[in-house]
Amino acid sequence: MEQIPHSDNAASYDEDPDTSVHNLLSQRTLIIASNRAPVTLHQSENGELEYQRGSGGLVTALTGVLQHAEARWIACAQTEEDSAWGRGEVSLGENDAKVLVQFVSPSEAAYEGYYRVIANPLLWFLQHSMWNIFREPTIDQTVWQHWEDGYVAVNRLFAEAIAQQIEAAPSPALVMLQDYHLYLAPSFIRYKVRPKARYTLAHFVHIPWPGAEDWGFLPIKMRRAILEGLCAVDLLGFQTREDGLNFIRTCESLLPGARVNYGRSRVWFRNHATYVRDFPISIDVNGLRQLAETEEVNSYREQLTQSHGDWQIILRIDRIEPSKNIVRGFQAFDEMLELHPEHRGKVKFVALLVPSRLGVTEYGDYLDEVMGMAGRVNAKYGGNDWEPIRILVDENYPRAVAGLQIYDLLLVNSIADGMNLVAKEGPIVNRRNGVLVLSERTGAYQQLEPGVLVVSPLDVYGTAEAMHQALTMPMVERGERAKRLRSLIEDQDIVDWLRQQLNTIIKLNL
Ligand code: GDG
């Protein structure tokens, strides 16, 4: 097994003045469970399986704690290589911290139901308020089958693997489950583990939690299973306070037998207390800064500035994902060019879009809409020497970071977004004191409000005016806002996200 080297951006807990976090970790076996593993496996030319560390903040945040804890990571196999590998120890981070990665391998049909029907789009769309409710979704017998044989079945597989690890653990386990793929696993775990085993269940929901009215659209059996699953958790984390309050309200309205306490932010169900807290996720500030200085990012930056140098740059970076509201972003740009023709020929909208979930019908259709809208704007205003919108579709994180260094305006106009990490990455690496135009329906807005121009995601006219304001903002004001944003983001990075969860577990004695 070869470890792909990476920068020394592992989150550090060593300077933590609060040694209780270290104590906690040294006395527990950490079990992380997420849909995706922290590594991806490939078959090398000589037929051996090799792994590469996955990208993303979660891996970075947890890499730091792995040095201090016995750790296991349970994830869903995505490829045949994953299934063939099954389980094994991998090294992550600069200190080669070891973690045992174990894959659960559902059948293809079960994975289809769990991932492509129930988690995405059903739950994702519900939690981002994206269903055209007069038409969709229709929960027919096929969907029910995918629920039972897919979502329920895969959550059971996770629960079995986690329960085994809890029982085999050399010390009481701290289980940290991640996100909407695994809502049911906690209650299954409680049934499976023998009563005397000592363990704590924490679950973090990365996406918004809407109000009870939205959850009321799900059939009673489905929504109760979800709420019962989450009420089996000891510490339930959300991105914002509002998400947590919505969860408590949902239990109050839709889970018979639940007793809620808003003051203590707690739900009692079946003689068990679930503490509900908000832990806004963030980015690895140091790791990102180091990456921004690499040769690779430098050369992408040069390429981008050469092709877009003389124009002001509006940038967006998103997965091709309807909740990111990409089409309305282009409509707003169209309206801005209409209302303020002085920008014509002087500004370029660069959209770096990452392919995502293209196996799910709604996503393939959305890409067509995005391309169609951009094509119309380009046909309306463009000429030989000016292409108003440039779309690059690819998976290329170093190029994304290069783009973030050179924007004048970063547009994040999501319909709903748990946090939105791009909004936190931009101000950290940007070199032009660019302005962040941010949807009020992102978790990031709760923290970054003092430095941004806020927009309501459906308000295309308002977004057009905010774009105009950003592009004409005096440099002094741009500088002040950019500074404010940097300090807000530096104050709370990805290490704090995890540390806050661990401290809460200590304080509540969970
Ligand atoms: C979910 C929630 C929440 C960009 N281009 C590439 C690439 N990126 C990076 C971005 C950013 C990340 O991917 C995307 O994170 P977001 O937070 O913006 O959005 P989601 O993917 O929807 O994330 C969200 C998050 O979970 C964490 O809790 O904030 O609300 O929806 O870091 O810079 N990454 C790779 N290749 C690229 O080309 N690998």
Side-chain angles (χ1 to χ4, degrees):
M1 281 290 164
E2 184 198 350
Q3 195 207 355
I4 307 294
H6 75 99
S7 68
D8 55 341
N9 59 353
S12 168
Y13 293 79
D14 292 333
E15 310 92 62
D16 191 343
D18 186 356
T19 50
S20 50
V21 166
H22 286 173
N23 289 341
L24 172 79
L25 290 169
S26 64
Q27 292 159 13
R28 298 291 187 99
T29 302
L30 187 62
I31 301 173
I32 299 149
S34 61
N35 178 52
R36 279 186 189 271
V39 290
T40 48
L41 288 157
H42 309 276
Q43 197 148 21
S44 71
E45 278 172 9
N46 57 17
E48 279 182 21
L49 286 178
E50 294 178 341
Y51 68 85
Q52 186 172 10
R53 176 189 187 266
S55 53
L58 192 59
V59 180
T60 304
L62 293 164
T63 305
V65 293
L66 298 178
Q67 293 156 33
H68 305 286
E70 278 273 333
R72 289 105 179 73
W73 196 316
I74 297 168
C76 205
Q78 311 283 329
T79 61
E80 281 175 15
E81 280 104 326
D82 291 351
S83 299
W85 197 60
R87 60 191 279 176
E89 199 165 70
V90 304
S91 309
L92 295 173
E94 55 176 325
N95 295 334
D96 275 1
K98 301 277 185 293
V99 57
L100 180 92
V101 173
Q102 178 178 344
F103 287 107
V104 298
S105 297
S107 67
E108 217 161 279
Y111 185 82
E112 170 80 16
Y114 149 81
Y115 188 80
R116 291 199 194 88
V117 179
I118 304 298
N120 305 295
L122 187 68
L123 295 176
W124 176 277
F125 273 42
L126 178 97
Q127 293 192 239
H128 290 83
S129 318
M130 291 199 314
W131 285 118
N132 254 343
I133 223 76
F134 63 98
R135 238 187 231 128
E136 284 180 306
T138 299
I139 299 174
D140 57 15
Q141 54 168 311
T142 316
V143 176
W144 271 108
Q145 206 170 340
H146 285 307
W147 167 262
E148 288 298 338
D149 302 345
Y151 195 74
V152 176
V154 175
N155 269 264
R156 274 192 206 287
L157 280 183
F158 266 95
E160 272 159 25
I162 294 167
Q164 275 169 14
Q165 290 292 353
I166 291 175
E167 298 203 336
S171 51
L174 168 56
V175 184
M176 303 187 84
L177 297 126
Q178 307 296 318
D179 232 353
Y180 60 105
H181 313 89
L182 300 179
Y183 286 155
L184 310 186
S187 47
F188 296 157
I189 295 170
R190 296 255 180 232
Y191 286 124
K192 280 190 193 303
V193 177
R194 70 189 150 76
K196 282 201 175 142
R198 281 205 51 219
Y199 61 99
T200 306
L201 293 185
H203 197 302
F204 185 78
V205 180
H206 291 251
I207 64 177
W209 189 275
E213 318 74 47
D214 289 296
W215 287 100
F217 284 118
L218 272 193
I220 293 173
K221 188 175 163 191
M222 284 186 190
R223 69 189 190 224
R224 280 198 193 154
I226 289 172
L227 295 172
E228 284 178 17
L230 292 176
C231 285
V233 161
D234 300 299
L235 178 63
L236 179 58
F238 290 97
Q239 301 275 23
T240 67
R241 201 176 111 75
E242 188 63 27
D243 292 327
L245 279 173
N246 279 344
F247 175 79
I248 299 176
R249 283 190 208 112
T250 311
C251 291
E252 190 175 31
S253 307
L254 301 177
L255 185 61
R259 280 185 296 125
V260 307
N261 184 326
Y262 286 97
R264 300 205 159 160
S265 202
R266 193 180 64 191
V267 180
W268 272 98
F269 183 68
R270 293 198 179 136
N271 236 0
H272 176 265
T274 299
Y275 291 87
V276 179
R277 296 289 184 275
D278 51 298
F279 303 109
I281 203 166
S282 192
I283 57 165
D284 175 15
V285 170
N286 294 335
L288 179 63
R289 283 197 168 126
Q290 282 173 24
L291 176 63
E293 294 308 318
T294 56
E295 267 310 304
E296 194 180 10
V297 171
N298 276 342
S299 88
Y300 278 120
R301 192 180 59 249
E302 273 160 29
Q303 276 174 31
L304 286 169
T305 13
Q306 261 162 28
S307 36
H308 309 296
D310 294 336
W311 289 283
Q312 281 195 297
I313 293 180
I314 299 176
L315 177 75
R316 76 172 308 138
I317 298 178
D318 294 293
R319 285 184 299 107
I320 300 163
E321 159 62 63
S323 65
K324 304 292 180 184
N325 210 16
I326 302 167
V327 173
R328 282 200 192 84
F330 292 155
Q331 284 172 334
F333 183 54
D334 181 357
E335 252 179 49
M336 185 197 73
L337 295 173
E338 193 71 57
L339 293 162
H340 305 283
E342 65 273 22
H343 293 296
R344 293 183 197 173
K346 298 206 174 108
V347 57
K348 239 184 185 205
F349 194 143
V350 179
L352 303 181
L353 304 182
V354 185
S356 174
R357 303 175 190 165
L358 291 176
V360 178
T361 321
E362 285 78 358
Y363 286 73
D365 295 350
Y366 190 63
L367 177 58
D368 293 343
E369 273 181 61
V370 165
M371 293 310 221
M373 186 66 215
R376 284 194 291 282
V377 175
N378 283 345
K380 187 167 165 190
Y381 301 102
N384 289 340
D385 50 1
W386 182 53
E387 183 191 34
I389 299 177
R390 179 91 179 135
I391 298 182
L392 300 170
V393 177
D394 203 359
E395 156 107 34
N396 188 337
Y397 188 55
R399 187 179 61 189
V401 173
L404 288 171
Q405 292 179 309
I406 59 165
Y407 67 77
D408 295 282
L409 186 174
L410 178 64
L411 178 65
V412 177
N413 63 324
S414 318
I415 293 170
D417 220 326
M419 179 53 59
N420 195 289
L421 296 178
V422 174
K424 291 188 169 179
E425 291 165 332
I428 289 297
V429 295
N430 184 260
R431 296 176 164 202
R432 295 191 185 180
N433 287 333
V435 182
L436 176 58
V437 174
L438 183 62
S439 160
E440 62 178 341
R441 286 174 51 89
T442 58
Y445 177 67
Q446 304 295 321
Q447 294 172 290
L448 305 184
E449 188 201 339
V452 306
L453 293 184
V454 61
V455 290
S456 163
L458 309 187
D459 184 5
V460 166
Y461 169 69
T463 307
E465 287 299 344
M467 284 177 165
H468 171 66
Q469 187 187 344
L471 294 176
T472 54
M473 187 179 282
M475 274 300 167
V476 177
E477 187 183 342
R478 272 172 67 151
E480 284 165 3
R481 283 174 182 269
K483 196 169 156 207
R484 221 171 290 156
L485 287 175
R486 276 196 301 275
S487 92
L488 285 168
I489 298 160
E490 283 162 354
D491 273 356
Q492 237 191 10
D493 75 356
I494 186 72
V495 182
D496 296 300
W497 173 72
L498 193 58
R499 191 190 281 128
Q500 279 169 16
Q501 293 176 68
L502 297 175
N503 273 328
T504 307
I505 288 168
I506 294 166
K507 264 195 224 136
L508 294 172
N509 207 8
L510 296 174

